[in-house]
Amino acid sequence: YFQHRLMTTDEEGKEYEDNGERAIFYARGVLETVKKLRWCPDIIHCHGWMSAIVPLFIKKAYYDEPSFRDSKVIFSVYGNGFQSNLVPNFKDQILFRDITSDDLNMIADPVNHDELCKLAITYSDGVIQTVKCKSGYYGLCT
């Protein structure tokens, strides 16, 4: 999923068709690693669309795991997401453990950047909206 690749697009700027699968793999890999290391984070701060599935997984699939039972989830929304839609069966790919299709009712098909952010916001305890500043950096600008 990640070896010999750029983050979301190839060298010609074409988005990878498996970006959704990669996001799921990334989210589950991180959460399983935290579990195996027996970390108990107080706050989990998810940045951008690649981590947008993490809040859902923590609240629905890992809710009874000791590592995440008391964790609060923050999601930072960025405007620099992917442009295309994810694969048509993306919602089915997310289903895992206690996650059902009812848990995904708030997002529309086809799933795109905005829909993934909606999903993350729904299952997060807090949200940070970032904007692009005059300097070109993202953050809370004055």
Side-chain angles (χ1 to χ4, degrees):
Y1 282 129
F2 298 97
Q3 204 164 19
H4 307 296
R5 288 182 163 193
L6 300 175
M7 182 64 164
T8 58
T9 63
D10 63 19
E11 294 80 11
E12 297 171 7
K14 183 178 179 223
E15 293 178 346
Y16 298 120
E17 290 183 17
D18 63 352
N19 275 341
E21 288 179 37
R22 295 168 70 223
I24 293 167
F25 179 82
Y26 170 77
R28 287 187 56 192
V30 168
L31 295 173
E32 288 295 326
T33 299
V34 169
K35 228 174 75 173
K36 290 282 185 209
L37 295 174
R38 297 184 181 161
W39 292 343
C40 296
D42 294 323
I43 297 172
I44 299 168
H45 191 166
C46 303
H47 289 267
W49 74 268
M50 183 62 87
S51 66
I53 303 161
V54 171
L56 169 70
F57 280 175
I58 290 172
K59 300 298 181 176
K60 294 304 235 171
Y62 290 90
Y63 67 92
D64 62 347
E65 293 289 342
S67 291
F68 305 113
R69 189 176 301 134
D70 299 320
S71 298
K72 298 297 181 195
V73 181
I74 308 298
F75 180 69
S76 285
V77 181
Y78 296 94
N80 59 342
F82 58 93
Q83 303 302 312
S84 60
N85 296 326
L86 297 177
V87 294
N89 67 337
F90 180 72
K91 284 183 177 181
D92 294 332
Q93 293 176 345
I94 297 174
L95 302 179
F96 171 64
R97 290 189 182 170
D98 293 336
I99 299 172
T100 67
S101 56
D102 289 341
D103 298 320
L104 307 175
N105 283 340
M106 82 292 302
I107 60 173
D109 286 318
V111 178
N112 58 26
H113 176 264
D114 292 345
E115 297 304 316
L116 266 186
C117 288
K118 257 196 255 182
L119 180 69
I121 289 167
T122 299
Y123 288 101
S124 292
D125 297 299
V127 176
I128 297 174
Q129 173 71 49
T130 58
V131 295
K132 191 169 184 179
C133 301
K134 292 177 188 174
S135 65
Y137 294 104
Y138 284 88
L140 302 175
C141 304
T142 57

